[in-house]
Amino acid sequence: GENVEQHPSTLSVQEGDSAVIKCTYSDSASNYFPWYKQELGKRPQLIIDIRSNVGEKKDQRIAVTLNKTAKHFSLHITETQPEDSAVYFCAASWTGANNLFFGTGTRLTVIP
Amino acid sequence: GAVVSQHPSRVICKSGTSVKIECRSLDFQATTMFWYRQFPKQSLMLMATSNEGSKATYEQGVEKDKFLINHASLTLSTLTVTSAHPEDSSFYICSARESQGFNYNEQFFGPGTRLTVL
């Protein structure tokens, strides 16, 4: 089955700096890679996703890159703000798959 | 769009009792719903996949007789924790996926239920 690894487990950055979270996956059939943000005690919220027909996708301060050859994808947050502080989960899946395979999460702290 | 509700948000019960958690897709039809368990500071652990009108598929290590899942309609799935024990205390989150369309893989999460068993 699919195995998703996520690094780092914790990340602290100064407000305004960039944050990068990396994930690797094992199954070459995976073609859907969402990123979720979870604030304490709340539901995971989809913030961005990418499909394997593109290598990069950007939405304002958030971007995701995908390297299918190397089987890794990354989340980039620029100009971080304190409200970006949360736990971020990556996941992988493929068309027709029943479920998402989640990474172990990264706790991001943005220091004002 | 794509809102998922979950009820109750918090429940405290005595050991040995059963607790039912409801998960509803409010503005879309969900052929498939998922139930996750999340321990503090840990990732989402998939417990089971719930398909409308059929038996749920449980992940390895999850007792189906303890965690009863019913997906009676395209908008409602329930998880019943039977004979709850303190070790069942956790944050339970459901998610739902639309029946069809381009975003077939995308899951929408409920707000979660914090279960505390005394």
Side-chain angles (χ1 to χ4, degrees), chain A residues 31-32 36 38 41-46 49 51 53 87 89 93-100 102-105 107, chain B residues 3-4 32 34 36 38 41-44 46 49 51 59 91 93 97 102-111 114:
Chain A
N31 59 5
Y32 175 65
Y36 286 85
Q38 187 180 27
K42 296 189 176 181
R43 77 183 82 196
Q45 297 265 25
L46 178 72
D49 58 13
R51 298 180 188 274
N53 56 337
V87 178
F89 292 99
S93 188
W94 60 89
T95 305
N98 227 6
N99 53 287
L100 295 171
F102 283 92
T104 48
R107 183 171 299 279
Chain B
V3 177
V4 177
T32 305
F34 304 88
Y36 295 87
Q38 188 175 35
K41 298 185 179 181
Q42 292 192 24
S43 189
L44 298 155
L46 180 66
T49 302
N51 296 297
E59 295 300 302
F91 192 51
I93 309 179
R97 191 177 69 190
F102 178 71
N103 291 324
Y104 176 74
N105 291 99
E106 185 174 346
Q107 292 184 25
F108 303 93
F109 285 86
R114 184 158 303 283

